[in-house]
Amino acid sequence: MLSLKMYSYLNLPVIQVIDSCFEGYNGTIFAYGQTGSGKTYTITGGAERYADRGIIPRTISYIFNEMSKRNTFSYKVKKFFCLMMVK
């Protein structure tokens, strides 16, 4: 299980991608690694505790918080989720 410290370490690159999207750039957050290394858990998180949220739920919260702060703009939010497993 990832600690909150690890999520704060991952937070900076994710926030940079999202902030770039607010500036008009496209962004992608991609997880790769060996089977069983925790990619899915890192991206989606755990279901039992709010503190165990993964990158996706934390990013969605950040996006909507930023949209409420930047109320001088009009936003259209699109999502695309692709899960590809290579064996």
Side-chain angles (χ1 to χ4, degrees):
M1 181 178 340
L2 289 177
S3 67
L4 289 176
K5 184 177 180 181
M6 181 57 132
Y7 274 120
S8 64
Y9 170 75
L10 293 171
N11 197 33
L12 181 60
V14 171
I15 296 303
Q16 290 172 340
V17 169
I18 300 306
D19 286 343
S20 294
C21 291
F22 278 111
E23 295 171 10
Y25 296 96
N26 292 325
T28 300
I29 300 168
F30 185 78
Y32 68 96
Q34 186 174 358
T35 300
S37 62
K39 297 173 297 297
T40 302
Y41 185 81
T42 300
I43 293 294
T44 61
E48 284 123 31
R49 296 182 338 163
Y50 186 75
D52 292 340
R53 294 173 301 148
I55 290 173
I56 290 174
R58 290 170 189 266
T59 301
I60 291 170
S61 294
Y62 180 77
I63 288 170
F64 283 99
N65 285 334
E66 284 297 305
M67 285 171 55
S68 68
K69 290 179 193 175
R70 303 173 189 222
N71 57 10
T72 58
F73 297 97
S74 175
Y75 295 102
K76 183 176 183 179
V77 178
K78 294 181 182 181
K79 65 170 176 58
F80 177 75
F81 177 77
C82 177
L83 176 62
M84 178 177 63
M85 299 180 77
V86 179
K87 290 185 177 190

Coordinates of all heavy atoms in Angstrom, one line a residue:
M1 N 0.8 -1.2 0.0 CA 0.0 0.0 0.0 C 0.9 1.2 0.0 O 1.9 1.3 0.7 CB -0.9 0.0 1.2 CG -1.8 1.2 1.3 SD -3.0 1.2 2.7 CE -3.1 -0.4 3.3
L2 N 0.5 2.2 -0.8 CA 1.3 3.4 -0.9 C 1.0 4.3 0.3 O -0.2 4.5 0.7 CB 1.0 4.2 -2.1 CG 1.5 3.6 -3.4 CD1 1.1 4.4 -4.6 CD2 3.0 3.5 -3.4
S3 N 2.0 5.0 0.9 CA 1.8 5.9 2.0 C 1.4 7.2 1.5 O 1.5 7.5 0.3 CB 3.1 6.0 2.8 OG 4.1 6.6 2.0
L4 N 0.9 8.1 2.3 CA 0.5 9.4 2.0 C 1.8 10.2 1.5 O 1.7 11.0 0.6 CB -0.1 10.2 3.1 CG -1.5 9.7 3.5 CD1 -2.0 10.4 4.7 CD2 -2.5 9.9 2.3
K5 N 2.9 9.9 2.1 CA 4.2 10.5 1.7 C 4.5 10.2 0.2 O 4.9 11.0 -0.6 CB 5.3 10.0 2.5 CG 6.6 10.7 2.2 CD 7.7 10.2 3.2 CE 9.0 10.9 2.9 NZ 10.1 10.5 3.8
M6 N 4.2 9.0 -0.2 CA 4.4 8.6 -1.6 C 3.5 9.3 -2.5 O 3.8 9.8 -3.6 CB 4.3 7.1 -1.8 CG 4.5 6.6 -3.2 SD 6.1 7.1 -3.8 CE 6.7 5.6 -4.5
Y7 N 2.2 9.5 -2.1 CA 1.3 10.2 -2.9 C 1.7 11.7 -3.1 O 1.5 12.3 -4.1 CB -0.2 10.1 -2.4 CG -0.9 8.9 -2.9 CD1 -1.3 7.9 -2.0 CD2 -1.1 8.7 -4.2 CE1 -2.0 6.8 -2.4 CE2 -1.7 7.5 -4.7 CZ -2.2 6.6 -3.8 OH -2.8 5.5 -4.2
S8 N 2.2 12.2 -2.0 CA 2.7 13.6 -2.1 C 3.9 13.7 -3.1 O 4.0 14.7 -3.8 CB 3.0 14.2 -0.8 OG 4.1 13.5 -0.2
Y9 N 4.7 12.7 -3.1 CA 5.8 12.6 -4.1 C 5.3 12.6 -5.5 O 5.8 13.2 -6.4 CB 6.7 11.4 -3.8 CG 7.8 11.2 -4.8 CD1 8.9 12.0 -4.9 CD2 7.6 10.1 -5.7 CE1 9.9 11.7 -5.9 CE2 8.6 9.8 -6.6 CZ 9.7 10.6 -6.7 OH 10.6 10.4 -7.7
L10 N 4.2 11.8 -5.7 CA 3.7 11.6 -7.1 C 2.8 12.9 -7.5 O 2.6 13.1 -8.6 CB 2.8 10.4 -7.1 CG 3.4 9.0 -7.0 CD1 2.4 8.0 -6.8 CD2 4.3 8.8 -8.2
N11 N 2.4 13.6 -6.5 CA 1.5 14.7 -6.7 C 2.1 15.8 -7.6 O 1.4 16.3 -8.5 CB 1.1 15.3 -5.3 CG -0.1 16.2 -5.4 OD1 -1.0 15.9 -6.2 ND2 -0.1 17.2 -4.6
L12 N 3.3 16.2 -7.5 CA 3.9 17.3 -8.2 C 3.8 17.0 -9.8 O 3.3 17.9 -10.5 CB 5.3 17.5 -7.8 CG 6.0 18.7 -8.5 CD1 5.3 20.0 -8.3 CD2 7.4 18.8 -8.1
P13 N 4.3 15.9 -10.3 CA 4.2 15.7 -11.7 C 2.7 15.7 -12.2 O 2.4 16.2 -13.3 CB 4.9 14.4 -12.0 CG 5.6 14.0 -10.8 CD 5.0 14.8 -9.7
V14 N 1.8 15.1 -11.4 CA 0.4 15.0 -11.8 C -0.2 16.4 -11.9 O -0.9 16.8 -12.8 CB -0.4 14.1 -10.9 CG1 -1.9 14.2 -11.1 CG2 0.1 12.7 -11.0
I15 N 0.1 17.2 -10.9 CA -0.4 18.6 -10.8 C 0.2 19.4 -12.0 O -0.6 20.2 -12.6 CB 0.0 19.3 -9.5 CG1 -0.7 18.6 -8.3 CG2 -0.3 20.8 -9.4 CD1 -2.2 18.5 -8.4
Q16 N 1.4 19.2 -12.3 CA 2.0 19.9 -13.5 C 1.3 19.6 -14.8 O 1.0 20.4 -15.6 CB 3.5 19.6 -13.6 CG 4.3 20.2 -12.5 CD 5.8 19.8 -12.5 OE1 6.1 18.7 -13.1 NE2 6.6 20.5 -11.9
V17 N 0.9 18.3 -14.9 CA 0.2 17.9 -16.1 C -1.2 18.5 -16.2 O -1.6 19.1 -17.2 CB 0.0 16.3 -16.2 CG1 -1.0 15.9 -17.3 CG2 1.4 15.7 -16.4
I18 N -1.9 18.5 -15.0 CA -3.3 19.1 -15.0 C -3.2 20.6 -15.2 O -4.0 21.2 -15.9 CB -3.9 18.8 -13.6 CG1 -4.1 17.2 -13.5 CG2 -5.3 19.4 -13.5 CD1 -4.7 16.5 -14.6
D19 N -2.2 21.3 -14.6 CA -2.1 22.7 -14.8 C -1.8 23.1 -16.2 O -2.3 24.1 -16.7 CB -1.0 23.3 -13.9 CG -1.4 23.4 -12.4 OD1 -2.7 23.3 -12.1 OD2 -0.6 23.5 -11.5
S20 N -1.0 22.2 -16.9 CA -0.8 22.4 -18.3 C -2.1 22.3 -19.1 O -2.3 23.0 -20.1 CB 0.3 21.5 -18.8 OG 1.5 21.7 -18.2
C21 N -2.9 21.4 -18.7 CA -4.2 21.2 -19.4 C -5.1 22.5 -19.3 O -5.8 22.8 -20.2 CB -5.0 20.0 -18.8 SG -4.2 18.4 -19.2
F22 N -5.0 23.1 -18.1 CA -5.7 24.3 -17.9 C -5.2 25.5 -18.8 O -5.9 26.4 -19.1 CB -5.7 24.8 -16.5 CG -6.7 24.1 -15.6 CD1 -6.3 23.2 -14.6 CD2 -8.1 24.4 -15.7 CE1 -7.3 22.6 -13.8 CE2 -9.0 23.7 -15.0 CZ -8.6 22.8 -14.0
E23 N -4.0 25.3 -19.2 CA -3.4 26.3 -20.1 C -3.6 25.9 -21.6 O -3.1 26.6 -22.5 CB -1.9 26.4 -19.9 CG -1.6 26.9 -18.5 CD -0.1 26.8 -18.1 OE1 0.7 26.5 -19.0 OE2 0.2 27.1 -16.9
G24 N -4.3 24.8 -21.9 CA -4.7 24.5 -23.2 C -3.9 23.3 -23.8 O -4.2 23.0 -25.0
Y25 N -3.0 22.7 -23.1 CA -2.3 21.6 -23.6 C -3.0 20.3 -23.3 O -3.8 20.2 -22.3 CB -0.9 21.5 -23.0 CG 0.0 22.7 -23.3 CD1 0.1 23.8 -22.5 CD2 0.7 22.7 -24.5 CE1 0.9 24.9 -22.8 CE2 1.5 23.8 -24.9 CZ 1.6 24.9 -24.0 OH 2.4 26.0 -24.4
N26 N -2.7 19.2 -24.1 CA -3.2 17.9 -23.7 C -2.3 17.3 -22.7 O -1.1 17.6 -22.7 CB -3.3 17.0 -25.0 CG -4.3 17.5 -26.0 OD1 -5.4 18.0 -25.6 ND2 -4.0 17.4 -27.3
G27 N -2.9 16.4 -21.9 CA -2.0 15.8 -20.9 C -2.4 14.3 -20.7 O -3.5 13.9 -21.0
T28 N -1.4 13.5 -20.4 CA -1.6 12.1 -20.1 C -0.9 11.7 -18.8 O 0.3 12.1 -18.6 CB -1.0 11.3 -21.3 OG1 -1.7 11.6 -22.5 CG2 -1.1 9.8 -21.1
I29 N -1.5 10.9 -18.1 CA -0.9 10.3 -16.9 C -0.8 8.8 -17.1 O -1.9 8.2 -17.4 CB -1.7 10.6 -15.6 CG1 -1.7 12.1 -15.4 CG2 -1.1 9.9 -14.4 CD1 -2.7 12.6 -14.4
F30 N 0.3 8.2 -17.1 CA 0.6 6.9 -17.6 C 1.3 6.1 -16.5 O 2.3 6.6 -16.0 CB 1.4 7.0 -18.9 CG 1.6 5.7 -19.6 CD1 0.6 5.1 -20.3 CD2 2.8 5.0 -19.5 CE1 0.9 3.9 -21.0 CE2 3.1 3.8 -20.1 CZ 2.1 3.3 -20.9
A31 N 0.9 4.9 -16.3 CA 1.5 4.0 -15.3 C 2.0 2.8 -16.0 O 1.3 2.2 -16.8 CB 0.6 3.6 -14.2
Y32 N 3.3 2.4 -15.8 CA 3.8 1.2 -16.4 C 4.7 0.6 -15.4 O 5.2 1.2 -14.4 CB 4.5 1.5 -17.7 CG 5.8 2.3 -17.5 CD1 7.0 1.6 -17.4 CD2 5.8 3.7 -17.4 CE1 8.2 2.3 -17.3 CE2 7.0 4.4 -17.2 CZ 8.2 3.7 -17.2 OH 9.3 4.4 -17.0
G33 N 4.9 -0.7 -15.6 CA 5.8 -1.5 -14.7 C 5.5 -2.9 -14.7 O 4.6 -3.4 -15.5
Q34 N 6.3 -3.7 -14.0 CA 6.2 -5.1 -13.9 C 4.8 -5.5 -13.3 O 4.2 -4.8 -12.5 CB 7.3 -5.6 -13.1 CG 7.4 -7.1 -13.0 CD 8.7 -7.6 -12.3 OE1 9.5 -6.8 -11.8 NE2 8.9 -8.9 -12.2
T35 N 4.4 -6.7 -13.8 CA 3.1 -7.3 -13.2 C 3.2 -7.4 -11.7 O 4.2 -7.9 -11.2 CB 2.9 -8.7 -13.8 OG1 2.8 -8.5 -15.2 CG2 1.6 -9.3 -13.3
G36 N 2.2 -6.9 -11.0 CA 2.1 -7.0 -9.6 C 2.9 -5.9 -8.8 O 3.0 -6.0 -7.6
S37 N 3.3 -4.9 -9.6 CA 4.1 -3.8 -8.9 C 3.2 -2.7 -8.3 O 3.8 -1.8 -7.7 CB 5.1 -3.2 -9.9 OG 4.4 -2.6 -11.0
G38 N 1.9 -2.8 -8.5 CA 1.0 -1.8 -7.9 C 0.5 -0.7 -8.8 O 0.1 0.4 -8.2
K39 N 0.6 -0.8 -10.1 CA 0.2 0.2 -11.0 C -1.3 0.5 -10.8 O -1.7 1.7 -10.7 CB 0.4 -0.2 -12.4 CG 1.9 -0.4 -12.8 CD 2.0 -1.0 -14.2 CE 1.4 -2.3 -14.4 NZ 1.9 -3.4 -13.6
T40 N -2.2 -0.5 -10.8 CA -3.6 -0.3 -10.7 C -3.9 0.4 -9.3 O -4.7 1.3 -9.3 CB -4.4 -1.6 -10.8 OG1 -4.0 -2.2 -12.1 CG2 -5.9 -1.4 -10.7
Y41 N -3.3 -0.1 -8.3 CA -3.6 0.5 -6.9 C -3.1 2.0 -6.9 O -3.8 2.8 -6.3 CB -2.9 -0.3 -5.9 CG -3.2 0.2 -4.5 CD1 -4.4 -0.2 -3.9 CD2 -2.4 1.0 -3.8 CE1 -4.8 0.2 -2.6 CE2 -2.7 1.5 -2.5 CZ -3.9 1.1 -2.0 OH -4.3 1.5 -0.7
T42 N -2.0 2.3 -7.5 CA -1.5 3.6 -7.5 C -2.5 4.5 -8.3 O -2.8 5.7 -7.8 CB -0.1 3.7 -8.2 OG1 0.8 2.9 -7.4 CG2 0.4 5.1 -8.2
I43 N -3.0 4.1 -9.4 CA -3.9 4.9 -10.2 C -5.3 5.0 -9.6 O -5.8 6.1 -9.5 CB -4.0 4.3 -11.6 CG1 -2.6 4.5 -12.4 CG2 -5.1 5.0 -12.4 CD1 -2.2 5.9 -12.6
T44 N -5.9 3.9 -9.1 CA -7.2 3.9 -8.6 C -7.3 4.0 -7.1 O -8.3 4.6 -6.6 CB -8.0 2.6 -9.1 OG1 -7.3 1.5 -8.6 CG2 -8.1 2.6 -10.6
G45 N -6.4 3.5 -6.4 CA -6.4 3.5 -5.0 C -7.2 2.4 -4.3 O -7.8 1.6 -5.0
G46 N -7.3 2.5 -3.0 CA -8.1 1.6 -2.2 C -9.5 2.1 -2.1 O -9.8 3.3 -2.1
A47 N -10.5 1.1 -1.8 CA -11.9 1.5 -1.7 C -12.3 1.7 -0.3 O -13.4 2.2 -0.1 CB -12.7 0.4 -2.4
E48 N -11.6 1.3 0.7 CA -12.1 1.3 2.1 C -11.9 2.6 2.8 O -12.7 3.0 3.6 CB -11.4 0.2 2.9 CG -12.0 -1.2 2.6 CD -10.9 -2.1 2.1 OE1 -9.7 -2.0 2.5 OE2 -11.2 -3.0 1.3
R49 N -10.8 3.3 2.5 CA -10.5 4.6 3.2 C -10.3 5.7 2.2 O -9.7 5.5 1.2 CB -9.3 4.5 4.1 CG -9.4 3.5 5.2 CD -8.2 3.4 6.1 NE -7.0 3.9 5.4 CZ -5.9 4.2 6.0 NH1 -5.8 4.1 7.3 NH2 -4.8 4.6 5.3
Y50 N -10.8 6.9 2.6 CA -10.7 8.1 1.7 C -9.2 8.4 1.5 O -8.8 8.8 0.5 CB -11.4 9.2 2.4 CG -11.4 10.5 1.6 CD1 -12.3 10.6 0.5 CD2 -10.6 11.6 1.9 CE1 -12.3 11.7 -0.3 CE2 -10.7 12.7 1.1 CZ -11.5 12.8 0.0 OH -11.5 13.9 -0.7
A51 N -8.4 8.2 2.6 CA -6.9 8.5 2.5 C -6.2 7.6 1.5 O -5.1 7.9 1.0 CB -6.3 8.4 3.8
D52 N -6.8 6.5 1.1 CA -6.2 5.5 0.2 C -6.6 5.8 -1.3 O -6.3 4.9 -2.1 CB -6.6 4.1 0.5 CG -6.0 3.6 1.8 OD1 -5.1 4.2 2.3 OD2 -6.6 2.7 2.4
R53 N -7.2 7.0 -1.6 CA -7.5 7.3 -2.9 C -6.3 7.3 -3.8 O -5.2 7.6 -3.4 CB -8.1 8.7 -3.0 CG -9.4 8.8 -2.3 CD -9.9 10.3 -2.3 NE -8.9 11.1 -1.6 CZ -8.6 12.3 -1.9 NH1 -9.2 13.0 -2.8 NH2 -7.7 13.0 -1.2
G54 N -6.4 6.9 -5.1 CA -5.3 6.8 -6.0 C -5.2 8.1 -6.8 O -5.8 9.2 -6.5
I55 N -4.4 8.1 -7.8 CA -4.1 9.3 -8.6 C -5.4 9.8 -9.3 O -5.6 11.0 -9.4 CB -3.0 9.0 -9.6 CG1 -1.7 8.9 -8.8 CG2 -2.9 10.1 -10.6 CD1 -0.5 8.4 -9.7
I56 N -6.2 8.9 -9.8 CA -7.4 9.3 -10.6 C -8.4 10.1 -9.7 O -8.8 11.2 -10.0 CB -8.1 8.1 -11.3 CG1 -7.2 7.7 -12.4 CG2 -9.5 8.5 -11.8 CD1 -7.8 6.4 -13.1
P57 N -8.8 9.6 -8.5 CA -9.8 10.3 -7.7 C -9.1 11.6 -7.2 O -9.8 12.6 -7.1 CB -10.2 9.4 -6.6 CG -9.4 8.2 -6.8 CD -8.6 8.2 -8.0
R58 N -7.9 11.6 -6.9 CA -7.2 12.8 -6.4 C -7.1 13.9 -7.5 O -7.3 15.1 -7.3 CB -5.8 12.5 -5.9 CG -5.8 11.7 -4.6 CD -4.4 11.2 -4.2 NE -4.5 10.3 -3.1 CZ -4.3 10.6 -1.9 NH1 -4.1 11.9 -1.5 NH2 -4.4 9.7 -0.9
T59 N -6.9 13.4 -8.7 CA -6.8 14.3 -9.9 C -8.2 14.9 -10.2 O -8.3 16.1 -10.5 CB -6.2 13.6 -11.1 OG1 -4.9 13.1 -10.8 CG2 -6.1 14.5 -12.3
I60 N -9.2 14.1 -10.1 CA -10.5 14.6 -10.4 C -10.9 15.7 -9.4 O -11.5 16.8 -9.7 CB -11.6 13.5 -10.4 CG1 -11.3 12.6 -11.7 CG2 -13.0 14.0 -10.4 CD1 -12.1 11.3 -11.7
S61 N -10.6 15.5 -8.1 CA -10.9 16.5 -7.1 C -10.1 17.8 -7.4 O -10.6 18.9 -7.2 CB -10.4 15.9 -5.7 OG -11.2 14.9 -5.3
Y62 N -8.8 17.6 -7.7 CA -8.0 18.8 -8.0 C -8.6 19.6 -9.2 O -8.7 20.8 -9.2 CB -6.6 18.4 -8.3 CG -5.7 19.5 -8.7 CD1 -5.2 20.4 -7.7 CD2 -5.3 19.8 -10.0 CE1 -4.4 21.4 -8.0 CE2 -4.5 20.9 -10.3 CZ -4.0 21.7 -9.3 OH -3.2 22.8 -9.6
I63 N -9.0 18.9 -10.3 CA -9.6 19.5 -11.4 C -10.8 20.4 -11.1 O -10.9 21.5 -11.4 CB -9.9 18.5 -12.5 CG1 -8.7 17.9 -13.2 CG2 -10.8 19.1 -13.6 CD1 -8.9 16.7 -14.1
F64 N -11.7 19.8 -10.3 CA -12.9 20.5 -10.0 C -12.7 21.6 -9.0 O -13.3 22.7 -9.1 CB -14.0 19.6 -9.5 CG -14.7 18.8 -10.7 CD1 -14.3 17.5 -11.0 CD2 -15.6 19.5 -11.5 CE1 -14.9 16.9 -12.1 CE2 -16.2 18.8 -12.6 CZ -15.8 17.5 -12.9
N65 N -11.7 21.5 -8.1 CA -11.3 22.6 -7.2 C -10.7 23.7 -8.0 O -11.1 24.9 -7.7 CB -10.3 22.1 -6.1 CG -11.0 21.2 -5.1 OD1 -12.2 21.4 -4.8 ND2 -10.2 20.4 -4.4
E66 N -9.9 23.4 -8.9 CA -9.3 24.5 -9.8 C -10.3 25.1 -10.6 O -10.3 26.4 -10.8 CB -8.2 23.9 -10.7 CG -6.9 23.6 -9.9 CD -6.3 24.8 -9.3 OE1 -6.0 25.8 -10.1 OE2 -6.0 24.9 -8.1
M67 N -11.3 24.4 -11.2 CA -12.3 25.0 -12.0 C -13.1 26.0 -11.1 O -13.5 27.0 -11.6 CB -13.2 23.9 -12.6 CG -12.6 23.2 -13.7 SD -13.5 21.7 -14.3 CE -15.1 22.4 -14.6
S68 N -13.4 25.7 -9.9 CA -14.2 26.6 -9.0 C -13.4 27.8 -8.7 O -13.9 28.9 -8.6 CB -14.6 25.9 -7.8 OG -13.6 25.6 -6.9
K69 N -12.0 27.7 -8.6 CA -11.2 28.9 -8.4 C -11.0 29.8 -9.6 O -10.9 31.0 -9.5 CB -9.8 28.4 -7.9 CG -9.7 27.8 -6.6 CD -8.3 27.4 -6.3 CE -8.1 26.5 -5.1 NZ -6.8 26.0 -5.0
R70 N -11.0 29.1 -10.8 CA -10.8 29.9 -12.0 C -12.1 30.1 -12.7 O -12.4 29.7 -13.8 CB -9.9 29.0 -13.0 CG -8.5 28.7 -12.4 CD -7.8 27.7 -13.3 NE -6.6 27.2 -12.6 CZ -5.4 27.1 -13.3 NH1 -5.3 27.4 -14.5 NH2 -4.4 26.6 -12.6
N71 N -13.0 30.8 -12.0 CA -14.3 31.0 -12.5 C -14.5 32.0 -13.6 O -15.6 32.4 -14.0 CB -15.3 31.2 -11.3 CG -14.9 32.5 -10.5 OD1 -14.0 33.2 -10.9 ND2 -15.5 32.6 -9.4
T72 N -13.4 32.6 -14.1 CA -13.5 33.6 -15.1 C -13.5 32.9 -16.5 O -13.7 33.5 -17.5 CB -12.3 34.6 -15.1 OG1 -11.1 33.9 -15.2 CG2 -12.4 35.4 -13.8
F73 N -13.4 31.6 -16.5 CA -13.3 30.8 -17.7 C -14.5 29.8 -17.8 O -15.1 29.5 -16.8 CB -12.1 30.0 -17.8 CG -10.8 30.8 -17.9 CD1 -10.1 31.0 -16.8 CD2 -10.4 31.3 -19.1 CE1 -8.9 31.8 -16.8 CE2 -9.2 32.1 -19.2 CZ -8.5 32.3 -18.0
S74 N -14.9 29.4 -19.0 CA -15.9 28.4 -19.2 C -15.1 27.1 -19.5 O -14.2 27.1 -20.3 CB -16.8 28.8 -20.3 OG -17.7 27.7 -20.6
Y75 N -15.5 26.0 -18.9 CA -14.8 24.7 -19.1 C -15.7 23.6 -19.7 O -16.9 23.6 -19.4 CB -14.2 24.2 -17.8 CG -13.1 25.1 -17.2 CD1 -13.4 25.9 -16.1 CD2 -11.9 25.1 -17.7 CE1 -12.5 26.8 -15.6 CE2 -10.9 25.9 -17.2 CZ -11.2 26.7 -16.1 OH -10.3 27.6 -15.6
K76 N -15.1 22.8 -20.5 CA -15.7 21.6 -21.0 C -14.8 20.4 -20.6 O -13.7 20.4 -21.0 CB -15.9 21.6 -22.5 CG -16.7 20.5 -23.0 CD -16.9 20.6 -24.5 CE -17.7 19.5 -25.1 NZ -18.0 19.7 -26.5
V77 N -15.3 19.6 -19.7 CA -14.5 18.5 -19.2 C -14.8 17.2 -20.0 O -15.9 16.8 -20.1 CB -14.7 18.2 -17.7 CG1 -13.9 17.1 -17.2 CG2 -14.4 19.5 -16.9
K78 N -13.7 16.6 -20.6 CA -13.9 15.3 -21.3 C -12.9 14.4 -20.6 O -11.9 14.7 -20.1 CB -13.4 15.5 -22.7 CG -14.3 16.3 -23.6 CD -13.8 16.3 -25.0 CE -14.6 17.2 -25.9 NZ -14.2 17.2 -27.2
K79 N -13.3 13.1 -20.5 CA -12.5 12.1 -19.9 C -12.3 11.0 -20.9 O -13.1 10.7 -21.7 CB -13.1 11.6 -18.6 CG -14.4 10.8 -18.9 CD -14.8 10.1 -17.6 CE -16.1 9.4 -17.8 NZ -16.2 8.5 -18.9
F80 N -11.1 10.4 -20.8 CA -10.8 9.2 -21.6 C -10.0 8.3 -20.7 O -9.0 8.7 -20.2 CB -10.1 9.5 -22.9 CG -9.7 8.4 -23.7 CD1 -10.7 7.7 -24.4 CD2 -8.4 7.9 -23.7 CE1 -10.3 6.6 -25.2 CE2 -8.1 6.8 -24.4 CZ -9.0 6.1 -25.2
F81 N -10.5 7.1 -20.5 CA -9.7 6.1 -19.7 C -9.5 4.9 -20.6 O -10.4 4.3 -21.2 CB -10.5 5.7 -18.5 CG -9.9 4.7 -17.6 CD1 -8.8 5.0 -16.8 CD2 -10.3 3.4 -17.7 CE1 -8.2 4.1 -16.0 CE2 -9.7 2.4 -16.9 CZ -8.6 2.8 -16.1
C82 N -8.2 4.5 -20.7 CA -7.9 3.3 -21.4 C -7.0 2.4 -20.6 O -6.1 2.9 -20.0 CB -7.1 3.8 -22.7 SG -6.5 2.4 -23.7
L83 N -7.4 1.2 -20.5 CA -6.7 0.2 -19.8 C -6.2 -0.8 -20.8 O -7.0 -1.5 -21.4 CB -7.5 -0.5 -18.7 CG -6.9 -1.6 -17.9 CD1 -5.7 -1.1 -17.1 CD2 -7.9 -2.2 -17.0
M84 N -4.9 -1.0 -20.9 CA -4.3 -1.9 -21.8 C -3.4 -2.8 -21.1 O -2.5 -2.3 -20.4 CB -3.6 -1.2 -22.9 CG -2.9 -2.1 -23.9 SD -2.1 -1.3 -25.3 CE -0.8 -0.4 -24.5
M85 N -3.6 -4.1 -21.2 CA -2.8 -5.1 -20.5 C -2.0 -5.9 -21.6 O -2.7 -6.4 -22.5 CB -3.6 -6.0 -19.6 CG -4.3 -5.2 -18.5 SD -5.2 -6.2 -17.4 CE -3.9 -6.9 -16.4
V86 N -0.7 -5.9 -21.5 CA 0.1 -6.7 -22.4 C 0.6 -7.9 -21.7 O 1.2 -7.8 -20.6 CB 1.2 -5.8 -22.9 CG1 2.1 -6.6 -23.9 CG2 0.7 -4.6 -23.6
K87 N 0.4 -9.1 -22.3 CA 0.9 -10.3 -21.6 C 2.0 -10.9 -22.4 O 2.1 -10.8 -23.6 CB -0.2 -11.3 -21.5 CG -1.3 -11.0 -20.5 CD -2.3 -12.1 -20.4 CE -3.3 -11.7 -19.3 NZ -4.1 -12.8 -18.9

